[in-house]
């Protein structure tokens, strides 16, 4: 069970890079390299909202879903890849827990 790491160029045209870590225990970590911003969220707090060629990744508070903790704009291709990585991590963790 290993964490997956990716680096994405954010599509807003500002040249920012997001280093994303998918942790199979159910967490996502995001670092905006140029701004030294760090975000964390659990898989069940994450939502993808697609709009054309961009997709917004939103982390909402579990107890108050109307409260947005953070959000990140990605290209739709990058968002699809990230969603797949999260899905695979969830499956891998589920298999591990069943085997224990």
């Amino acid at each position: 069970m290993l964490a997956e790491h990716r680096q994405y160029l954010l599509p807003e045209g500002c040249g920012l890079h997001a280093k994303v870590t998918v942790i199979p225990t159910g967490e996502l970590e995001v670092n905006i390299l140029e701004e030294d911003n760090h975000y964390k969220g659990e898989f069940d707090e994450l939502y993808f909202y697609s709009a054309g060629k961009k997709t917004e990744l939103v982390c909402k508070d579990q107890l108050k879903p109307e409260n947005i903790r953070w959000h990140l704009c990605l290209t739709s291709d990058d968002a699809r890849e990230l969603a797949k990585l999260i899905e695979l991590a969830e499956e891998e963790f589920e298999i591990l827990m069943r085997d224990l």
Side-chain angles (χ1 to χ4, degrees):
M1 192 163 79
L2 300 173
E4 290 285 339
H5 303 275
R6 295 291 186 277
Q7 186 167 310
Y8 300 116
L9 177 63
L10 302 183
E12 289 126 2
C14 51
L16 297 178
H17 295 84
K19 181 179 177 189
V20 179
T21 304
V22 178
I23 303 167
T25 55
E27 284 189 334
L28 183 79
E29 293 181 355
V30 179
N31 288 314
I32 307 300
L33 301 177
E34 292 80 4
E35 296 179 348
D36 198 33
N37 290 339
H38 182 77
Y39 306 110
K40 279 187 174 184
E42 295 182 20
F43 292 165
D44 55 356
E45 299 173 324
L46 302 175
Y47 299 87
F48 291 90
Y49 298 102
S50 183
K53 294 182 180 182
K54 295 181 184 178
T55 299
E56 187 173 17
L57 171 60
V58 178
C59 181
K60 296 184 178 184
D61 189 310
Q62 282 186 12
L63 300 176
K64 295 182 181 178
E66 67 276 2
N67 291 347
I68 294 175
R69 293 179 41 215
W70 55 266
H71 63 93
L72 184 69
C73 190
L74 298 166
T75 67
S76 291
D77 288 342
D78 290 344
R80 276 192 292 279
E81 178 188 28
L82 182 56
K84 187 65 175 171
L85 289 173
I86 290 170
E87 181 182 325
L88 292 172
E90 288 176 318
E91 289 174 8
E92 184 179 332
F93 187 71
E94 196 174 299
I95 290 168
L96 179 66
M97 290 295 106
R98 260 188 306 211
D99 290 346
L100 291 179

